[in-house]
Amino acid sequence: MTAARLTVDPRFAIGAVRRRLFGGFVEHLGRHVYDGIYEPGHPRADEQGFRGDVLELVRELGVSTIRYPGGNFVSGFRWEDSVGPRAQRPRRLDLAWHSTETNEIGLHEFSDWLDKAGSDLMLAVNLGTRGTLEAIDLLEYCNVPGGTTLSQQRIDNGRAAPLGVRVWCLGNEMDGPWQLGHRSADDYGKIAAQTAKGMRQLDPSIELVVCGSSGAQMLTFGEWERVVLQHTYDDVDMISCHAYYQEHHGDIDSFLASAVDMDSFIEKVVATADHVGAVKGSDKRIDISFDEWNVWYIDRVDSVKPTAIDDWPVAPRLLEDVYSVVDAVVFGSLLISLLKHADRVASASLAQLVNVIAPIMTEPGGPTWRQTTFFPFAITSRLARGVAVRLRIDAPVIDTARHGTVSGVDAVSTHDAETGATAIFVVHRGRHDAVDLVIDITGLGEVEIVETHLLADDDPSARNTLDDPERVQPRALEGARIVDGLLHVTLPPIAWAAVALQAR
Ligand code: AHR
């Protein structure tokens, strides 16, 4: 048994917990849309063909804003294909995922689905193979109440009221050589600034996200942000970060410390953005939209797409990672990292939502189930309220090959002064021994424990599958207690936990 001491004091507030931190991402990719959220003929499908069982889980997950329709998909997407009478919509090749896009589900249907899910739309425009005019046209179609050809088309297509889309992504991963229309930072910065200016001329109330790096490992990382922001600083609100983590060659210690990399990624982007602001003499602050994050086994065979010229399947099984307990513990620690940076991460999107590197899985004609990663997201999204609070942490350290020496315990808290609710989210990265946590909560006054959740397992490789969909479940933290202003919690090896406290 090892021991760690933590201190929670609401005076160490980081920033407000914005609901957009718990966003998601739906891309037209694999079985995400077709045979995922949409499966007409399924026993639980509603009148529009949307699966009611999937909608129930999406609501339970608690996702706020949902980024759509891609991802790499958006860089070959013509938005006009996805509206109007369905029978007339074209079938197109999706070059990004080597699939056929039927356009059966488009902007209107997806907006209807979002209404049912209780989530907001965040749209990405195609700046890979299209440009400023098409982006402005889409904005006009979505947000102008009426009186123009495009807004009238929306009305004729069944949406009288504007969609009122607030947050827009200016392309996707434009730094990535795999991206259709991949550009240099200079070229992208120019078209992004031009497009942002045009879009704001139409609707000054929108919030714009410019593409940052596809990962901190990109060779252009840092310089990309600097150059792109030099062009766009005055015209955008956020810069994006994307990060995916996986276990490499059995190096579990490094994998468990992935959030250390996320912390440093965020801090470097903030430093670069602030540097550009300083050089420009600007008082404006650019925030981060961490609009793709997750665990993703990108090297695994089932992540590889078909490539033959005559092989363009509709909704093939792609990127259907099955997540273990270890994956979920890392996933929970990534959420802790996002909360620890709540002052600058204004928005985040879990990539993705259903079937594709997803917390929710479905079987055609069959059931839907929660992956292990579902639990940390749903619990954190529900309990994190008010402001994020920085903790003091004294814990044993772990040496890792990729991230150096890291704390064996990481944690963050949230505190809602209005309701007196506090939540503590904690990860234990140690693989061998349990850890006794003594958490000083005297700064909270008189509180009681109202909920505890532990995600850990004697078999850290355990997963939920079609055959065994409830193998992994969070359980209560046995023995959690408060004695003289100290909260005592024992965590087993490789564990993620949450404790909700309420002022008496
Ligand atoms: O989320 C899967 C893919 O990862 C997205 O399409 C792309 O933006 C990123 O590379």
Side-chain angles (χ1 to χ4, degrees):
M1 183 82 77
T2 58
R5 202 176 168 94
L6 284 66
T7 306
V8 178
D9 189 320
R11 284 175 299 181
F12 302 133
I14 302 165
V17 177
R18 293 171 265 203
R19 290 313 300 160
R20 280 195 199 141
L21 215 55
F22 301 101
F25 174 31
V26 171
E27 177 165 9
H28 281 249
L29 193 183
R31 296 193 308 123
H32 199 160
V33 174
Y34 309 108
D35 276 357
I37 66 173
Y38 175 72
E39 192 189 334
H42 187 276
R44 294 289 313 273
D46 66 13
E47 66 295 345
Q48 286 187 287
F50 293 126
R51 283 184 63 157
D53 51 355
V54 174
L55 274 166
E56 275 165 22
L57 286 190
V58 171
R59 286 191 286 261
E60 184 185 323
L61 190 64
V63 263
S64 53
T65 309
I66 297 185
R67 184 168 174 254
Y68 177 83
N72 296 339
F73 170 80
V74 82
S75 292
F77 178 57
R78 290 168 251 215
W79 69 264
E80 304 88 335
D81 290 351
S82 82
V83 299
R86 266 177 163 172
Q88 289 162 28
R89 294 186 196 168
R91 289 169 74 88
R92 298 276 190 202
L93 298 182
D94 164 14
L95 303 188
W97 301 107
H98 214 276
S99 310
T100 297
E101 173 54 54
T102 63
N103 283 304
E104 207 174 327
I105 294 294
L107 184 56
H108 286 254
E109 294 79 17
F110 190 68
S111 299
D112 292 344
W113 182 82
L114 284 172
D115 291 344
K116 293 175 186 187
S119 301
D120 295 327
L121 181 58
M122 173 182 191
L123 269 181
V125 300
N126 176 357
L127 286 189
T129 54
R130 306 191 93 192
T132 303
L133 187 62
E134 292 90 343
I136 294 172
D137 282 352
L138 177 57
L139 176 60
E140 179 181 335
Y141 184 92
C142 290
N143 284 10
V144 170
T148 67
T149 302
L150 285 168
S151 57
Q152 188 57 45
Q153 259 175 33
R154 183 200 67 240
I155 296 165
D156 295 344
N157 288 336
R159 277 256 168 183
L163 289 169
V165 183
R166 294 270 63 83
V167 192
W168 295 77
C169 302
L170 298 163
N172 177 67
E173 294 191 345
M174 298 307 300
D175 63 323
W178 58 86
Q179 199 69 215
L180 269 175
H182 163 228
R183 289 166 210 263
S184 68
D186 203 40
D187 288 348
Y188 170 66
K190 283 179 194 157
I191 191 177
Q194 203 176 54
T195 306
K197 282 186 172 67
M199 290 176 79
R200 277 216 209 281
Q201 261 174 271
L202 195 163
D203 185 351
S205 73
I206 56 174
E207 292 172 55
L208 293 170
V209 183
V210 74
C211 289
S213 292
S214 307
Q217 77 289 351
M218 297 298 290
L219 295 177
T220 49
F221 174 55
E223 186 61 359
W224 173 275
E225 280 74 4
R226 187 187 68 77
V227 174
V228 165
L229 283 175
Q230 248 166 9
H231 286 289
T232 58
Y233 202 89
D234 296 332
D235 302 308
V236 302
D237 303 284
M238 289 172 263
I239 183 159
S240 70
C241 290
H242 290 182
Y244 294 99
Y245 297 98
Q246 63 178 318
E247 186 193 313
H248 293 275
H249 314 297
D251 180 3
I252 301 178
D253 285 332
S254 294
F255 180 47
L256 283 164
S258 299
V260 172
D261 181 78
M262 190 185 233
D263 290 342
S264 120
F265 186 10
I266 293 169
E267 285 153 23
K268 285 173 184 163
V269 174
V270 165
T272 308
D274 290 351
H275 165 75
V276 177
V279 171
K280 284 182 174 282
S282 172
D283 289 334
K284 179 180 173 181
R285 202 182 70 168
I286 298 287
D287 281 333
I288 289 176
S289 167
F290 215 117
D291 48 43
E292 287 188 32
W293 68 270
N294 203 347
V295 171
W296 177 12
Y297 288 86
I298 197 165
D299 304 331
R300 282 191 186 156
V301 175
D302 63 359
S303 288
V304 176
K305 48 192 188 265
T307 50
I309 186 69
D310 58 350
D311 185 16
W312 299 89
V314 175
R317 286 185 187 253
L318 291 175
L319 282 63
E320 300 203 4
D321 286 12
V322 181
Y323 291 117
S324 68
V325 172
V326 185
D327 296 329
V329 168
V330 170
F331 181 102
S333 73
L334 299 177
L335 279 164
I336 289 173
S337 173
L338 292 172
L339 280 167
K340 276 166 53 183
H341 297 93
D343 52 339
R344 296 304 289 266
V345 182
S347 179
S349 310
L350 164 62
Q352 300 197 11
L353 208 53
V354 180
N355 288 333
V356 172
I357 43 172
I360 298 168
M361 297 301 289
T362 72
E363 192 54 25
T368 179
W369 66 98
R370 300 167 186 82
Q371 291 234 50
T372 54
T373 53
F374 184 97
F375 304 111
F377 192 100
I379 293 167
T380 309
S381 173
R382 184 169 58 79
L383 294 181
R385 289 285 183 274
V387 292
V389 175
R390 188 176 317 285
L391 269 61
R392 177 175 170 100
I393 302 171
D394 296 299
V397 293
I398 297 170
D399 290 325
T400 72
R402 282 176 170 255
H403 311 296
T405 302
V406 306
S407 173
V409 171
D410 198 12
V412 72
S413 175
T414 61
H415 177 71
D416 187 339
E418 262 178 42
T419 63
T422 297
I424 301 168
F425 307 98
V426 55
V427 63
H428 177 214
R429 297 178 173 131
R431 286 197 291 127
H432 306 294
D433 302 308
V435 64
D436 260 341
L437 302 181
V438 178
I439 309 176
D440 184 337
I441 52 170
T442 44
L444 295 172
E446 281 290 302
V447 293
E448 60 185 342
I449 299 172
V450 285
E451 277 180 51
T452 64
H453 304 274
L454 169 67
L455 195 68
D457 202 284
D458 290 342
D459 175 9
S461 68
R463 296 160 155 83
N464 291 342
T465 59
L466 175 61
D467 294 334
D468 197 355
E470 301 198 347
R471 164 66 184 80
V472 178
Q473 297 291 315
R475 55 186 196 275
L477 263 168
E478 268 173 41
R481 65 200 184 283
I482 299 172
V483 182
D484 297 334
L486 298 177
L487 169 63
H488 295 263
V489 170
T490 301
L491 296 183
I494 314 181
W496 175 90
V499 179
L501 305 166
Q502 181 61 48
R504 284 184 204 272

PDB file of all heavy atoms in Angstrom, residues 25 27 29 67 70-73 96-97 172-173 178-179 214 242 244 292 296 298 319 351-352 356-357, ligand 1:
ATOM      1  N   PHE A  25     -18.572  14.466 -30.947  1.00  0.00           N
ATOM      2  CA  PHE A  25     -18.177  14.601 -32.348  1.00  0.00           C
ATOM      3  C   PHE A  25     -18.845  13.473 -33.128  1.00  0.00           C
ATOM      4  O   PHE A  25     -18.684  12.295 -32.783  1.00  0.00           O
ATOM      5  CB  PHE A  25     -16.645  14.516 -32.425  1.00  0.00           C
ATOM      6  CG  PHE A  25     -16.034  14.501 -33.792  1.00  0.00           C
ATOM      7  CD1 PHE A  25     -16.610  15.157 -34.870  1.00  0.00           C
ATOM      8  CD2 PHE A  25     -14.831  13.829 -34.007  1.00  0.00           C
ATOM      9  CE1 PHE A  25     -16.011  15.147 -36.122  1.00  0.00           C
ATOM     10  CE2 PHE A  25     -14.217  13.807 -35.242  1.00  0.00           C
ATOM     11  CZ  PHE A  25     -14.821  14.462 -36.303  1.00  0.00           C
ATOM     12  N   GLU A  27     -18.971  12.109 -36.956  1.00  0.00           N
ATOM     13  CA  GLU A  27     -18.445  12.208 -38.315  1.00  0.00           C
ATOM     14  C   GLU A  27     -19.156  11.188 -39.196  1.00  0.00           C
ATOM     15  O   GLU A  27     -19.502  10.093 -38.738  1.00  0.00           O
ATOM     16  CB  GLU A  27     -16.931  11.936 -38.303  1.00  0.00           C
ATOM     17  CG  GLU A  27     -16.310  11.959 -39.696  1.00  0.00           C
ATOM     18  CD  GLU A  27     -14.785  12.055 -39.682  1.00  0.00           C
ATOM     19  OE1 GLU A  27     -14.174  11.932 -38.607  1.00  0.00           O
ATOM     20  OE2 GLU A  27     -14.219  12.266 -40.769  1.00  0.00           O
ATOM     21  N   LEU A  29     -18.567   8.540 -40.941  1.00  0.00           N
ATOM     22  CA  LEU A  29     -17.397   7.643 -40.942  1.00  0.00           C
ATOM     23  C   LEU A  29     -17.858   6.277 -40.452  1.00  0.00           C
ATOM     24  O   LEU A  29     -18.464   6.175 -39.380  1.00  0.00           O
ATOM     25  CB  LEU A  29     -16.343   8.225 -39.990  1.00  0.00           C
ATOM     26  CG  LEU A  29     -14.898   7.718 -39.963  1.00  0.00           C
ATOM     27  CD1 LEU A  29     -14.111   8.416 -38.874  1.00  0.00           C
ATOM     28  CD2 LEU A  29     -14.702   6.244 -39.924  1.00  0.00           C
ATOM     29  N   ARG A  67     -19.770  18.291 -32.621  1.00  0.00           N
ATOM     30  CA  ARG A  67     -19.085  18.715 -33.847  1.00  0.00           C
ATOM     31  C   ARG A  67     -19.509  17.794 -34.995  1.00  0.00           C
ATOM     32  O   ARG A  67     -19.571  16.574 -34.819  1.00  0.00           O
ATOM     33  CB  ARG A  67     -17.579  18.646 -33.593  1.00  0.00           C
ATOM     34  CG  ARG A  67     -16.697  19.129 -34.707  1.00  0.00           C
ATOM     35  CD  ARG A  67     -15.264  19.261 -34.166  1.00  0.00           C
ATOM     36  NE  ARG A  67     -14.319  19.577 -35.198  1.00  0.00           N
ATOM     37  CZ  ARG A  67     -13.442  18.714 -35.707  1.00  0.00           C
ATOM     38  NH1 ARG A  67     -13.399  17.475 -35.268  1.00  0.00           N
ATOM     39  NH2 ARG A  67     -12.609  19.095 -36.651  1.00  0.00           N
ATOM     40  N   GLY A  70     -17.494  16.231 -39.827  1.00  0.00           N
ATOM     41  CA  GLY A  70     -16.145  15.647 -39.795  1.00  0.00           C
ATOM     42  C   GLY A  70     -15.234  16.718 -39.272  1.00  0.00           C
ATOM     43  O   GLY A  70     -15.672  17.856 -39.074  1.00  0.00           O
ATOM     44  N   GLY A  71     -14.054  16.299 -38.993  1.00  0.00           N
ATOM     45  CA  GLY A  71     -13.251  15.175 -39.362  1.00  0.00           C
ATOM     46  C   GLY A  71     -12.766  15.252 -40.825  1.00  0.00           C
ATOM     47  O   GLY A  71     -13.037  16.189 -41.578  1.00  0.00           O
ATOM     48  N   ASN A  72     -11.950  14.267 -41.126  1.00  0.00           N
ATOM     49  CA  ASN A  72     -11.379  14.177 -42.465  1.00  0.00           C
ATOM     50  C   ASN A  72     -12.470  14.190 -43.536  1.00  0.00           C
ATOM     51  O   ASN A  72     -12.245  14.664 -44.651  1.00  0.00           O
ATOM     52  CB  ASN A  72     -10.545  12.896 -42.592  1.00  0.00           C
ATOM     53  CG  ASN A  72      -9.340  12.907 -41.660  1.00  0.00           C
ATOM     54  OD1 ASN A  72      -8.894  13.953 -41.224  1.00  0.00           O
ATOM     55  ND2 ASN A  72      -8.816  11.731 -41.346  1.00  0.00           N
ATOM     56  N   PHE A  73     -13.643  13.662 -43.208  1.00  0.00           N
ATOM     57  CA  PHE A  73     -14.755  13.613 -44.157  1.00  0.00           C
ATOM     58  C   PHE A  73     -15.093  14.997 -44.696  1.00  0.00           C
ATOM     59  O   PHE A  73     -15.413  15.174 -45.871  1.00  0.00           O
ATOM     60  CB  PHE A  73     -15.981  12.996 -43.458  1.00  0.00           C
ATOM     61  CG  PHE A  73     -17.258  13.106 -44.246  1.00  0.00           C
ATOM     62  CD1 PHE A  73     -17.535  12.221 -45.278  1.00  0.00           C
ATOM     63  CD2 PHE A  73     -18.198  14.104 -43.957  1.00  0.00           C
ATOM     64  CE1 PHE A  73     -18.712  12.326 -46.013  1.00  0.00           C
ATOM     65  CE2 PHE A  73     -19.371  14.213 -44.678  1.00  0.00           C
ATOM     66  CZ  PHE A  73     -19.634  13.321 -45.706  1.00  0.00           C
ATOM     67  N   ALA A  96     -11.825  10.301 -47.910  1.00  0.00           N
ATOM     68  CA  ALA A  96     -11.114  10.203 -46.620  1.00  0.00           C
ATOM     69  C   ALA A  96     -11.200   8.798 -46.045  1.00  0.00           C
ATOM     70  O   ALA A  96     -10.234   8.277 -45.501  1.00  0.00           O
ATOM     71  CB  ALA A  96     -11.676  11.218 -45.637  1.00  0.00           C
ATOM     72  N   TRP A  97     -12.369   8.187 -46.130  1.00  0.00           N
ATOM     73  CA  TRP A  97     -12.565   6.876 -45.501  1.00  0.00           C
ATOM     74  C   TRP A  97     -12.871   5.799 -46.521  1.00  0.00           C
ATOM     75  O   TRP A  97     -13.327   4.717 -46.172  1.00  0.00           O
ATOM     76  CB  TRP A  97     -13.668   6.980 -44.428  1.00  0.00           C
ATOM     77  CG  TRP A  97     -13.281   7.991 -43.397  1.00  0.00           C
ATOM     78  CD1 TRP A  97     -13.812   9.237 -43.231  1.00  0.00           C
ATOM     79  CD2 TRP A  97     -12.214   7.880 -42.436  1.00  0.00           C
ATOM     80  NE1 TRP A  97     -13.165   9.906 -42.221  1.00  0.00           N
ATOM     81  CE2 TRP A  97     -12.182   9.097 -41.713  1.00  0.00           C
ATOM     82  CE3 TRP A  97     -11.302   6.873 -42.117  1.00  0.00           C
ATOM     83  CZ2 TRP A  97     -11.257   9.330 -40.686  1.00  0.00           C
ATOM     84  CZ3 TRP A  97     -10.383   7.110 -41.094  1.00  0.00           C
ATOM     85  CH2 TRP A  97     -10.368   8.323 -40.391  1.00  0.00           C
ATOM     86  N   ASN A 172     -10.642  21.230 -41.112  1.00  0.00           N
ATOM     87  CA  ASN A 172     -10.232  20.161 -40.197  1.00  0.00           C
ATOM     88  C   ASN A 172      -8.794  19.740 -40.462  1.00  0.00           C
ATOM     89  O   ASN A 172      -8.428  19.457 -41.606  1.00  0.00           O
ATOM     90  CB  ASN A 172     -11.129  18.927 -40.391  1.00  0.00           C
ATOM     91  CG  ASN A 172     -10.705  17.762 -39.506  1.00  0.00           C
ATOM     92  OD1 ASN A 172     -10.823  17.835 -38.285  1.00  0.00           O
ATOM     93  ND2 ASN A 172     -10.195  16.710 -40.110  1.00  0.00           N
ATOM     94  N   GLU A 173      -7.990  19.700 -39.425  1.00  0.00           N
ATOM     95  CA  GLU A 173      -6.612  19.168 -39.480  1.00  0.00           C
ATOM     96  C   GLU A 173      -5.888  19.563 -40.769  1.00  0.00           C
ATOM     97  O   GLU A 173      -5.361  18.707 -41.487  1.00  0.00           O
ATOM     98  CB  GLU A 173      -6.634  17.640 -39.305  1.00  0.00           C
ATOM     99  CG  GLU A 173      -7.106  17.238 -37.926  1.00  0.00           C
ATOM    100  CD  GLU A 173      -6.892  15.757 -37.591  1.00  0.00           C
ATOM    101  OE1 GLU A 173      -6.635  14.957 -38.502  1.00  0.00           O
ATOM    102  OE2 GLU A 173      -6.999  15.416 -36.401  1.00  0.00           O
ATOM    103  N   TRP A 178      -2.394  13.884 -44.655  1.00  0.00           N
ATOM    104  CA  TRP A 178      -3.479  12.990 -45.061  1.00  0.00           C
ATOM    105  C   TRP A 178      -4.748  13.764 -45.432  1.00  0.00           C
ATOM    106  O   TRP A 178      -5.679  13.216 -45.995  1.00  0.00           O
ATOM    107  CB  TRP A 178      -3.824  12.021 -43.921  1.00  0.00           C
ATOM    108  CG  TRP A 178      -4.222  12.749 -42.663  1.00  0.00           C
ATOM    109  CD1 TRP A 178      -5.473  13.206 -42.326  1.00  0.00           C
ATOM    110  CD2 TRP A 178      -3.353  13.147 -41.604  1.00  0.00           C
ATOM    111  NE1 TRP A 178      -5.436  13.859 -41.123  1.00  0.00           N
ATOM    112  CE2 TRP A 178      -4.145  13.835 -40.656  1.00  0.00           C
ATOM    113  CE3 TRP A 178      -1.987  12.991 -41.352  1.00  0.00           C
ATOM    114  CZ2 TRP A 178      -3.609  14.373 -39.482  1.00  0.00           C
ATOM    115  CZ3 TRP A 178      -1.458  13.514 -40.182  1.00  0.00           C
ATOM    116  CH2 TRP A 178      -2.260  14.190 -39.269  1.00  0.00           C
ATOM    117  N   GLN A 179      -4.763  15.042 -45.099  1.00  0.00           N
ATOM    118  CA  GLN A 179      -5.993  15.824 -45.282  1.00  0.00           C
ATOM    119  C   GLN A 179      -6.144  16.236 -46.746  1.00  0.00           C
ATOM    120  O   GLN A 179      -5.209  16.739 -47.348  1.00  0.00           O
ATOM    121  CB  GLN A 179      -5.944  17.088 -44.404  1.00  0.00           C
ATOM    122  CG  GLN A 179      -7.288  17.722 -44.157  1.00  0.00           C
ATOM    123  CD  GLN A 179      -8.152  16.856 -43.276  1.00  0.00           C
ATOM    124  OE1 GLN A 179      -9.354  16.822 -43.453  1.00  0.00           O
ATOM    125  NE2 GLN A 179      -7.550  16.135 -42.345  1.00  0.00           N
ATOM    126  N   SER A 214      -2.755  18.724 -35.511  1.00  0.00           N
ATOM    127  CA  SER A 214      -3.431  17.432 -35.362  1.00  0.00           C
ATOM    128  C   SER A 214      -2.845  16.621 -34.226  1.00  0.00           C
ATOM    129  O   SER A 214      -3.266  15.488 -33.993  1.00  0.00           O
ATOM    130  CB  SER A 214      -3.290  16.626 -36.648  1.00  0.00           C
ATOM    131  OG  SER A 214      -3.725  17.373 -37.736  1.00  0.00           O
ATOM    132  N   HIS A 242      -5.995  18.559 -31.254  1.00  0.00           N
ATOM    133  CA  HIS A 242      -6.449  17.174 -31.395  1.00  0.00           C
ATOM    134  C   HIS A 242      -5.407  16.257 -30.766  1.00  0.00           C
ATOM    135  O   HIS A 242      -4.203  16.471 -30.968  1.00  0.00           O
ATOM    136  CB  HIS A 242      -6.600  16.786 -32.874  1.00  0.00           C
ATOM    137  CG  HIS A 242      -7.743  17.475 -33.563  1.00  0.00           C
ATOM    138  ND1 HIS A 242      -8.072  17.232 -34.873  1.00  0.00           N
ATOM    139  CD2 HIS A 242      -8.643  18.390 -33.125  1.00  0.00           C
ATOM    140  CE1 HIS A 242      -9.119  17.976 -35.214  1.00  0.00           C
ATOM    141  NE2 HIS A 242      -9.484  18.686 -34.166  1.00  0.00           N
ATOM    142  N   TYR A 244      -4.874  11.910 -29.689  1.00  0.00           N
ATOM    143  CA  TYR A 244      -5.307  10.530 -29.461  1.00  0.00           C
ATOM    144  C   TYR A 244      -4.160   9.785 -28.792  1.00  0.00           C
ATOM    145  O   TYR A 244      -2.999   9.986 -29.152  1.00  0.00           O
ATOM    146  CB  TYR A 244      -5.646   9.847 -30.790  1.00  0.00           C
ATOM    147  CG  TYR A 244      -6.858  10.445 -31.478  1.00  0.00           C
ATOM    148  CD1 TYR A 244      -6.710  11.373 -32.505  1.00  0.00           C
ATOM    149  CD2 TYR A 244      -8.142  10.083 -31.096  1.00  0.00           C
ATOM    150  CE1 TYR A 244      -7.819  11.916 -33.141  1.00  0.00           C
ATOM    151  CE2 TYR A 244      -9.260  10.625 -31.724  1.00  0.00           C
ATOM    152  CZ  TYR A 244      -9.095  11.539 -32.752  1.00  0.00           C
ATOM    153  OH  TYR A 244     -10.192  12.075 -33.378  1.00  0.00           O
ATOM    154  N   GLU A 292     -10.959  17.209 -30.795  1.00  0.00           N
ATOM    155  CA  GLU A 292     -10.847  15.757 -30.974  1.00  0.00           C
ATOM    156  C   GLU A 292      -9.916  15.240 -29.884  1.00  0.00           C
ATOM    157  O   GLU A 292      -8.745  15.639 -29.827  1.00  0.00           O
ATOM    158  CB  GLU A 292     -10.297  15.376 -32.355  1.00  0.00           C
ATOM    159  CG  GLU A 292     -11.291  15.593 -33.473  1.00  0.00           C
ATOM    160  CD  GLU A 292     -10.829  15.042 -34.826  1.00  0.00           C
ATOM    161  OE1 GLU A 292     -10.112  14.022 -34.849  1.00  0.00           O
ATOM    162  OE2 GLU A 292     -11.189  15.648 -35.841  1.00  0.00           O
ATOM    163  N   TRP A 296      -7.248   5.978 -28.973  1.00  0.00           N
ATOM    164  CA  TRP A 296      -7.505   5.416 -30.315  1.00  0.00           C
ATOM    165  C   TRP A 296      -6.316   4.543 -30.704  1.00  0.00           C
ATOM    166  O   TRP A 296      -5.191   5.036 -30.777  1.00  0.00           O
ATOM    167  CB  TRP A 296      -7.703   6.546 -31.329  1.00  0.00           C
ATOM    168  CG  TRP A 296      -7.893   6.084 -32.758  1.00  0.00           C
ATOM    169  CD1 TRP A 296      -8.137   4.809 -33.197  1.00  0.00           C
ATOM    170  CD2 TRP A 296      -7.861   6.903 -33.946  1.00  0.00           C
ATOM    171  NE1 TRP A 296      -8.261   4.786 -34.569  1.00  0.00           N
ATOM    172  CE2 TRP A 296      -8.097   6.054 -35.056  1.00  0.00           C
ATOM    173  CE3 TRP A 296      -7.659   8.262 -34.176  1.00  0.00           C
ATOM    174  CZ2 TRP A 296      -8.127   6.526 -36.367  1.00  0.00           C
ATOM    175  CZ3 TRP A 296      -7.689   8.732 -35.483  1.00  0.00           C
ATOM    176  CH2 TRP A 296      -7.937   7.874 -36.561  1.00  0.00           C
ATOM    177  N   ILE A 298      -4.808   3.549 -33.319  1.00  0.00           N
ATOM    178  CA  ILE A 298      -4.755   3.931 -34.727  1.00  0.00           C
ATOM    179  C   ILE A 298      -3.981   2.903 -35.560  1.00  0.00           C
ATOM    180  O   ILE A 298      -4.210   2.762 -36.750  1.00  0.00           O
ATOM    181  CB  ILE A 298      -4.152   5.352 -34.832  1.00  0.00           C
ATOM    182  CG1 ILE A 298      -4.440   5.975 -36.179  1.00  0.00           C
ATOM    183  CG2 ILE A 298      -2.696   5.390 -34.513  1.00  0.00           C
ATOM    184  CD1 ILE A 298      -4.190   7.468 -36.213  1.00  0.00           C
ATOM    185  N   LEU A 319     -12.640   1.674 -37.415  1.00  0.00           N
ATOM    186  CA  LEU A 319     -12.249   2.309 -36.144  1.00  0.00           C
ATOM    187  C   LEU A 319     -13.137   1.869 -34.971  1.00  0.00           C
ATOM    188  O   LEU A 319     -13.487   2.670 -34.106  1.00  0.00           O
ATOM    189  CB  LEU A 319     -12.316   3.843 -36.261  1.00  0.00           C
ATOM    190  CG  LEU A 319     -11.206   4.611 -36.977  1.00  0.00           C
ATOM    191  CD1 LEU A 319     -11.085   4.251 -38.430  1.00  0.00           C
ATOM    192  CD2 LEU A 319     -11.425   6.105 -36.853  1.00  0.00           C
ATOM    193  N   ALA A 351     -13.967  12.464 -29.399  1.00  0.00           N
ATOM    194  CA  ALA A 351     -14.034  11.877 -30.734  1.00  0.00           C
ATOM    195  C   ALA A 351     -13.947  10.354 -30.596  1.00  0.00           C
ATOM    196  O   ALA A 351     -12.902   9.863 -30.201  1.00  0.00           O
ATOM    197  CB  ALA A 351     -12.874  12.391 -31.587  1.00  0.00           C
ATOM    198  N   GLN A 352     -15.035   9.634 -30.876  1.00  0.00           N
ATOM    199  CA  GLN A 352     -16.303  10.128 -31.388  1.00  0.00           C
ATOM    200  C   GLN A 352     -17.429   9.606 -30.491  1.00  0.00           C
ATOM    201  O   GLN A 352     -17.137   9.324 -29.338  1.00  0.00           O
ATOM    202  CB  GLN A 352     -16.450   9.722 -32.840  1.00  0.00           C
ATOM    203  CG  GLN A 352     -15.302  10.317 -33.699  1.00  0.00           C
ATOM    204  CD  GLN A 352     -15.545  10.318 -35.196  1.00  0.00           C
ATOM    205  OE1 GLN A 352     -16.637  10.076 -35.687  1.00  0.00           O
ATOM    206  NE2 GLN A 352     -14.496  10.587 -35.959  1.00  0.00           N
ATOM    207  N   VAL A 356     -17.695   4.395 -33.748  1.00  0.00           N
ATOM    208  CA  VAL A 356     -16.377   4.797 -34.246  1.00  0.00           C
ATOM    209  C   VAL A 356     -15.584   5.377 -33.072  1.00  0.00           C
ATOM    210  O   VAL A 356     -15.943   6.452 -32.576  1.00  0.00           O
ATOM    211  CB  VAL A 356     -16.536   5.838 -35.370  1.00  0.00           C
ATOM    212  CG1 VAL A 356     -15.193   6.411 -35.781  1.00  0.00           C
ATOM    213  CG2 VAL A 356     -17.243   5.219 -36.567  1.00  0.00           C
ATOM    214  N   ILE A 357     -14.535   4.636 -32.607  1.00  0.00           N
ATOM    215  CA  ILE A 357     -13.784   5.022 -31.391  1.00  0.00           C
ATOM    216  C   ILE A 357     -14.737   5.686 -30.380  1.00  0.00           C
ATOM    217  O   ILE A 357     -14.559   6.832 -29.992  1.00  0.00           O
ATOM    218  CB  ILE A 357     -12.548   5.899 -31.712  1.00  0.00           C
ATOM    219  CG1 ILE A 357     -12.820   6.991 -32.753  1.00  0.00           C
ATOM    220  CG2 ILE A 357     -11.371   5.056 -32.147  1.00  0.00           C
ATOM    221  CD1 ILE A 357     -11.633   7.988 -32.936  1.00  0.00           C
TER     222      ILE A 357
HETATM  223  O1  AHR B   1     -11.644  10.911 -35.430  1.00  0.00           O
HETATM  224  C1  AHR B   1     -11.097  10.229 -36.520  1.00  0.00           C
HETATM  225  C2  AHR B   1     -10.238  11.128 -37.400  1.00  0.00           C
HETATM  226  O2  AHR B   1      -9.141  11.562 -36.664  1.00  0.00           O
HETATM  227  C3  AHR B   1     -10.871  12.420 -37.866  1.00  0.00           C
HETATM  228  O3  AHR B   1     -11.621  12.260 -39.025  1.00  0.00           O
HETATM  229  C4  AHR B   1      -9.687  13.285 -38.133  1.00  0.00           C
HETATM  230  O4  AHR B   1      -9.969  14.650 -37.983  1.00  0.00           O
HETATM  231  C5  AHR B   1      -8.640  12.778 -37.176  1.00  0.00           C
HETATM  232  O5  AHR B   1      -7.433  12.535 -37.818  1.00  0.00           O
END
